[in-house]
Amino acid sequence: HTHDLRHWRRLDGSFPVFISLDYCWEQANAPRWDDLTQVFVSEYQRRVANGHGPILGSPQFDAYDDAVPMNLGERPVLLVFSPKFRVGPIQYVYRWIKYRQVLSRCARWASREGYRLVVKTREKHRDPRYVKTIADRVFYDEALYPPTSWSLIKSSAVAVHFQSGALLECARAEVPSYSVRLPQPHLMRFRTSEEIYPGEPFTITHWPGVV
């Protein structure tokens, strides 16, 4: 509902200035307004979005150097990023059946190889209760800066995610990750979907040797 923000007013009757920060390819699909300044991570993202805003890098990546690894014990960590689920019959199957299967397999692997299974999620995901039962630890967004995700990635040996933008952070931290591909028919109408969601080699969610 970002378009509704144009109707916000300050107490003095003036309108605020809106700045939209890019992370991956959001700007290519974002609404455009005259009073909205789009800020891009790189020239490539700006070209994909056909944008005209300044290139200022990534605030998320700027926090990397300030993040401190967590003390999660002596065992290496397998970090799983909880997926976001849309409401609907297909996603219901993935939320209550498929995700549990993936998480259980990760737990068995971690137990066999001597790893600790840690899940990073968010309150808005409303994870099923079985997540806390299967994982050794579950973290939310306890810190805004540096983000909790950076501290967890720096504490991990390998990560699993569901086509998450966290793969960029894992790559920056030189932590290999596995991307689980989910059916995303509701996202295929976006301009950048073919670059992100099919999972073909040398696309963002399947880069040999990295993710």
Side-chain angles (χ1 to χ4, degrees):
H1 305 293
T2 51
H3 60 282
D4 295 331
L5 296 178
R6 289 178 296 177
H7 303 296
W8 287 12
R9 287 178 182 266
R10 295 192 180 96
L11 293 177
D12 63 4
S14 64
F15 288 95
V17 175
F18 294 109
I19 298 176
S20 176
L21 297 175
D22 204 7
Y23 177 66
C24 190
W25 278 267
E26 292 87 350
Q27 304 286 37
N29 304 297
R32 307 273 181 95
W33 328 321
D34 292 337
D35 56 350
L36 175 68
T37 299
Q38 289 185 311
V39 177
F40 295 90
V41 172
S42 68
E43 172 60 34
Y44 175 71
Q45 270 98 333
R46 186 167 66 178
R47 187 167 64 251
V48 169
N50 192 28
H52 306 285
I55 299 171
L56 297 179
S58 168
Q60 182 80 356
F61 274 62
D62 290 343
Y64 173 80
D65 293 331
D66 293 332
V68 178
M70 295 181 178
N71 182 8
L72 298 176
E74 296 181 357
R75 288 182 292 165
V77 170
L78 166 61
L79 178 62
V80 176
F81 287 90
S82 178
K84 291 172 284 192
F85 293 101
R86 283 174 59 89
V87 176
I90 294 179
Q91 296 302 326
Y92 180 87
V93 171
Y94 275 86
R95 179 183 182 90
W96 295 105
I97 300 176
K98 296 297 184 180
Y99 181 38
R100 185 167 193 159
Q101 291 176 347
V102 171
L103 205 58
S104 296
R105 290 179 182 181
C106 287
R108 290 196 296 271
W109 181 91
S111 177
R112 185 177 67 244
E113 301 296 331
Y115 278 64
R116 188 169 195 184
L117 178 61
V118 173
V119 172
K120 165 63 176 67
T121 186
R122 291 177 174 174
E123 292 285 355
K124 68 178 182 179
H125 290 180
R126 298 182 179 178
D127 289 337
R129 276 184 265 181
Y130 65 70
V131 174
K132 290 186 177 180
T133 302
I134 296 173
D136 293 312
R137 289 284 302 274
V138 177
F139 286 88
Y140 296 87
D141 287 316
E142 277 82 6
L144 178 63
Y145 188 94
T148 303
S149 59
W150 269 132
S151 298
L152 287 172
I153 290 172
K154 282 190 168 184
S155 310
S156 303
V158 63
V160 174
H161 51 77
F162 296 78
Q163 297 183 302
S164 168
L167 65 89
L168 296 173
E169 299 165 39
C170 290
R172 171 65 180 86
E174 299 183 358
V175 172
S177 68
Y178 289 88
S179 178
V180 180
R181 185 162 60 94
L182 294 176
Q184 305 277 14
H186 59 288
L187 297 177
M188 297 314 294
R189 62 187 176 87
F190 291 110
R191 292 174 56 192
T192 52
S193 297
E194 290 298 325
E195 190 165 0
I196 300 175
Y197 297 108
E200 298 297 326
F202 297 103
T203 58
I204 187 172
T205 57
H206 184 178
W207 200 274
V210 180
V211 55

